[in-house]
Amino acid sequence: MDKIDLNQQSYIDLKNNIINRLNRIEGQIRGIKKMVEQDKECTKILEQMSSVRASIDSVGLLFVGCSLHNQIEEKIKSGLSKEVVITETMKPFLKRFFE
């Protein structure tokens, strides 16, 4: 993860938040494996898988925010207006991830 231009404590908090979420996801995956080993109901396993997917998406949104922040800050430093920067940054970003 590129270090975003926040104060050091905010960066540390963000990084710790992501690591904690990934640790939880890792635990959820181990739980699913255990459910399979114990022959639990498929619907219960699918519910847990859905939960893992939502957790991964949540972490992904943190990285999306980090990436957008970095791109916008870099372009603003180059002298472009905020409006132009946001438009230029968002269009290709959204196209890349949501096309």
Side-chain angles (χ1 to χ4, degrees), residues 1-97:
M1 176 168 72
D2 292 334
K3 190 169 181 180
I4 58 177
D5 189 18
L6 298 172
N7 65 54
Q8 187 64 23
Q9 188 59 46
S10 295
Y11 174 74
I12 291 169
D13 291 344
L14 175 63
K15 185 176 179 179
N16 288 337
N17 184 349
I18 290 170
I19 290 169
N20 288 336
R21 288 173 185 236
L22 291 173
N23 286 336
R24 253 184 271 130
I25 292 167
E26 185 178 25
Q28 289 175 302
I29 296 293
R30 282 193 305 270
I32 291 170
K33 181 181 175 191
K34 187 175 180 179
M35 290 175 77
V36 171
E37 292 170 346
Q38 295 174 347
D39 296 321
K40 298 291 182 182
E41 291 180 36
C42 292
T43 54
K44 297 292 183 187
I45 294 169
L46 286 170
E47 288 172 3
Q48 290 303 310
M49 290 178 67
S50 177
S51 177
V52 168
R53 194 172 303 111
S55 296
I56 290 171
D57 289 345
S58 178
V59 171
L61 284 175
L62 293 173
F63 284 108
V64 167
C66 179
S67 179
L68 284 173
H69 182 276
N70 288 339
Q71 291 178 42
I72 289 169
E73 284 296 313
E74 185 177 306
K75 289 178 181 177
I76 287 174
K77 288 178 184 175
S78 74
L80 295 172
S81 74
K82 287 183 181 182
E83 293 79 16
V84 170
V85 168
I86 291 170
T87 301
E88 285 184 7
T89 303
M90 292 301 293
K91 282 183 182 178
F93 190 85
L94 291 172
K95 185 176 180 179
R96 178 177 175 194
F97 289 102

